[in-house]
Amino acid sequence: MHILIPAAGMGKRMGASHNKLRLQLLGKPLLAWTLAAVAAAEAIEWIGVIGQPEDFPIWEAVLGDLNLRQPVQLIEGGKTRQASVFNGLQALPETAEQVLIHDGARCLATPDLINRCAQALETYAGLIAAVPVKDTIKIVNREGVVVQTPARDSLWAAQTPQGFHVEPLRIAHEMAVAKGWEVTDDAALFERLGYAVHIVLGEETNLKITTPSDLPLAERVLQHRQEQGQSVIAS
C-alpha cells in the first residue's frame, strides 16, 4: 500500500511562524510521530511526504533518525492541501493502484487504524476513517439563528486516513482543476463524481493538531502510550 502525507501547511491557527509539523512533541517533531506510526503499519510499502522545499532538510534529518524500512519520497506541495495532494498523486509510482492519504498533523493515529484502512481498500473504491459525532450539531444561518438540528445518529466526524483507488481519484482531482472545485478533503471530490465513500471506524484519539491547546493533549496521549509500552518511537 502507498500512502501520501500532506505536510505543507503553515497552520495559521497554531500561531507558529513556521510549519506546525516542526513543533516538538516529547522532544521530537510532530511529523516524526506521524511517520513512525505510518511506518509501523505492516501494510505500508511506500511513503510520500508532501511539503515545502524549505522544510525538506528538516524532514530529511527526521527520516535519518527514524531509519524507516519503507522508501520515502519528498514531494513539493502546492498552495493548498488540495493542490498538494494533486502533486502527490502525480509522484506516485506507476505501479500504485490504491493510495491512503493521511494528514501529517494527525500524529496520534495508530498503526492498527492505518492497517484497517488499507485492508478496507481491498473491498471499497473509496473510504474515510471517521467517528460518530457525540455532540448535538446545529445548522445556523448568517444571523446566528439555528435553522436545523440534524439527527445525530447520521453524523460522523471525518478523519484520515482516507483511501482511494488511484485512477478515479486522479480523475476527480483533474476535474477539480478544470472546474475550479475547492474542497476540504479528497472524499468530497470522490463524492462529486458519484463514487461511494465508505466509513472505517476511526479512533477518538486521532485528533488533528490544529491549535496550541491540542499540543498538551497530544503529549498526554503519547506519554500514556509510552507508559503502556505502545510507543512507535524509541525514547
Side-chain angles (χ1 to χ4, degrees), residues 187-198:
L189 290 180
F190 221 60
E191 295 158 24
R192 285 203 182 192
L193 293 192
Y195 291 103
V197 176
H198 292 261

Side-chain angles (χ1 to χ4, degrees), residues 19 24 30 36 50 63 67 72 83 114 119 123 133 153 175 213:
N19 192 330
Q24 298 284 305
L30 195 156
I50 312 168
L63 291 167
N67 192 28
V72 181
I114 295 162
Q119 184 176 10
T123 303
V133 169
D153 58 5
M175 287 282 288
S213 63

Side-chain angles (χ1 to χ4, degrees), residues 8 31-32 34 36 70 72 78-80 85 101 125 133 153 173 175 181 184 192 210 231 235:
L31 184 63
T34 307
Q70 299 94 336
V72 181
K79 293 182 178 180
T80 65
V85 174
I101 300 170
V133 169
D153 58 5
H173 270 271
M175 287 282 288
W181 295 341
T184 56
R192 285 203 182 192
T210 305
S231 177
S235 300

Side-chain angles (χ1 to χ4, degrees), residues 104-187:
R106 289 191 185 271
C107 61
L108 301 177
T110 66
D112 175 69
L113 174 59
I114 295 162
N115 281 328
R116 287 191 288 109
C117 288
Q119 184 176 10
L121 266 184
E122 299 299 325
T123 303
Y124 305 126
L127 59 87
I128 63 172
V131 292
V133 169
K134 294 180 178 179
D135 297 325
T136 297
I137 303 300
K138 302 289 185 179
I139 298 176
V140 180
N141 65 19
R142 292 182 179 179
E143 287 71 44
V145 176
V146 174
V147 296
Q148 187 179 350
T149 304
R152 189 169 58 192
D153 58 5
S154 66
L155 298 175
W156 289 67
Q159 302 180 340
T160 65
Q162 300 189 355
F164 309 91
H165 288 192
V166 170
E167 191 54 31
L169 184 61
R170 278 189 175 134
I171 292 171
H173 270 271
E174 288 166 1
M175 287 282 288
V177 172
K179 295 182 176 293
W181 295 341
E182 294 184 5
V183 297
T184 56
D185 72 355
D186 298 280

Side-chain angles (χ1 to χ4, degrees), residues 81-104:
R81 183 189 186 280
Q82 185 173 321
S84 289
V85 174
F86 181 88
N87 290 356
L89 291 173
Q90 312 316 307
L92 285 173
E94 292 184 2
T95 56
E97 297 181 354
Q98 302 163 332
V99 64
L100 294 177
I101 300 170
H102 182 60
D103 290 337

